[in-house]
């Protein structure tokens, strides 16, 4: 029984998913957040790669679990990863999310960021 408990304790960090490295107060307890930020591999995905929490007007960095590169392309017709956007489809690279610069919009309680992929 002790072996299973120890194994469970060792697995907890792997089961946690995205970690919020954007904690505004520096502590993990008693902090309330305004929004959940969900990262999707592309606009057609139904399950997020991960989620983090943030406050309105706050910048945040890309969590490691949401880092994508061309090897993870969900569609071989669009093999080049450009970045993330709050728009499902973009017309310009100006619509890409600029991490550590763009801020969570006021009133946006569920911000969805989609991976943007293009042709070669």
């Amino acid at each position: 029984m002790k072996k299973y408990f120890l194994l469970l304790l060792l697995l907890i960090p792997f089961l946690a998913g995205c970690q919020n490295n954007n904690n505004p107060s520096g502590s993990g307890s008693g902090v309330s957040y305004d929004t959940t930020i969900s990262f999707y591999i592309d606009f057609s995905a139904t399950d997020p790669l991960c989620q983090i929490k943030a406050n309105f007007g706050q910048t945040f960095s890309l969590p490691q679990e949401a880092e994508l590169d061309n090897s993870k392309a969900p569609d071989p017709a669009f093999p080049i990863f450009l970045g993330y956007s709050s728009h499902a489809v973009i017309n310009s690279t100006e619509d890409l999310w600029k991490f550590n610069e763009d801020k969570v919009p006021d009133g946006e309680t569920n911000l969805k960021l989609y991976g943007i992929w293009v042709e070669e």
Side-chain angles (χ1 to χ4, degrees), residues 21-116:
N21 297 323
N22 304 298
N23 190 333
S25 72
S27 69
S29 62
V31 177
S32 64
Y33 295 98
D34 298 322
T35 190
T36 299
I37 304 162
S38 302
F39 295 84
Y40 294 88
I41 195 164
D42 68 6
F43 70 92
S44 66
T46 56
D47 295 322
L49 296 167
C50 66
Q51 297 178 317
I52 62 172
K53 302 279 187 184
N55 288 311
F56 301 145
Q58 180 183 350
T59 62
F60 56 92
S61 54
L62 177 66
Q64 183 177 356
E65 296 84 354
E67 290 180 6
L68 296 174
D69 60 38
N70 296 347
S71 69
K72 297 178 182 175
D75 184 342
F78 301 96
I80 309 296
F81 178 69
L82 285 184
Y84 281 97
S85 178
S86 58
H87 306 281
V89 178
I90 65 171
N91 293 320
S92 164
T93 56
E94 289 298 313
D95 289 332
L96 292 174
W97 193 268
K98 295 166 209 69
F99 292 96
N100 296 317
E101 184 179 323
D102 287 343
K103 297 179 179 181
V104 176
D106 287 342
E108 184 70 59
T109 60
N110 190 13
L111 178 62
K112 295 179 181 182
L113 295 179
Y114 305 99
I116 303 297

